[in-house]
Amino acid sequence: MEISLVSSNDSTRDIAVKLIIEFWRAHNNYAQSAEEAASDYEEWTSEGHIFYLIKTDEDFVGFAHMGSRGAQIDWLEELFILPVFQNRGLGSKAIEILEDKVKKYSDSMYLEAAARNLSAIRLYRKLGYDCLNTISIRKDFHKEKYE
């Protein structure tokens, strides 16, 4: 299945917002509101960011959010493929396209993965990414136990 990266714009904003809602549902089991997703979208399309929709011949199946952490836009901040389209090589293809873009102006492309996201880590290692620093860990506390 072939894909393309489509730069987001006003005409694709609603699609992007829906995909962002699905991103938070899939990654954190969080039911994000449309307003929260729109706020993420505004941030992820502001100066120092590039937001691409991932499109097959027929469907928008995910997104890639690139950002700058002080230099070039060479950090893959978020990569999301809808769960029904995962495990088809679409994430790998999206990363390869992003690498080709970033190679034109930066020596490296960077990304982070949550330590518990083993499938993402396996994908990134398979694509040649190596650990650059330490892993941060956290312990979540349940809201219902707050005083």
Side-chain angles (χ1 to χ4, degrees):
M1 184 179 299
E2 292 300 313
I3 66 161
S4 60
L5 299 186
V6 178
S7 294
S8 187
N9 56 48
D10 289 343
S11 68
T12 59
R13 183 181 187 280
D14 290 343
I15 295 165
V17 167
K18 289 176 184 175
L19 287 167
I20 292 169
I21 290 169
E22 291 304 315
F23 167 78
W24 288 112
R25 183 183 336 274
H27 285 277
N28 288 0
N29 200 26
Y30 176 66
Q32 188 181 50
S33 70
E35 292 78 22
E36 290 171 312
S39 178
D40 284 345
Y41 177 78
E42 293 305 318
E43 179 182 338
W44 296 352
T45 58
S46 66
E47 186 175 343
H49 300 265
I50 302 172
F51 189 89
Y52 295 105
L53 294 168
I54 301 170
K55 188 175 189 301
T56 64
D57 292 333
E58 302 169 7
D59 301 300
F60 287 101
V61 299
F63 66 82
H65 164 217
M66 299 290 296
S68 167
R69 296 191 183 182
Q72 301 289 339
I73 297 176
D74 55 6
W75 276 89
L76 177 55
E77 301 289 355
E78 279 84 30
L79 174 67
F80 177 64
I81 305 293
L82 288 166
V84 297
F85 290 97
Q86 292 177 3
N87 300 311
R88 298 181 190 187
L90 303 179
S92 296
K93 289 177 185 175
I95 290 172
E96 289 171 8
I97 294 168
L98 292 167
E99 288 174 346
D100 287 342
K101 291 177 180 297
V102 172
K103 282 179 196 176
K104 294 176 182 172
Y105 58 82
S106 184
D107 291 335
S108 302
M109 190 165 98
Y110 302 89
L111 52 84
E112 292 178 333
R116 68 181 177 266
N117 193 346
L118 298 177
S119 62
I121 292 169
R122 278 191 298 274
L123 169 64
Y124 301 147
R125 303 281 277 164
K126 181 179 107 183
L127 295 175
Y129 288 81
D130 196 11
C131 186
L132 183 62
N133 56 16
T134 60
I135 297 172
S136 300
I137 61 173
R138 74 175 189 200
K139 181 178 182 179
D140 291 329
F141 300 105
H142 300 286
K143 292 180 185 176
E144 64 271 7
K145 294 183 181 178
Y146 292 165
E147 293 180 9

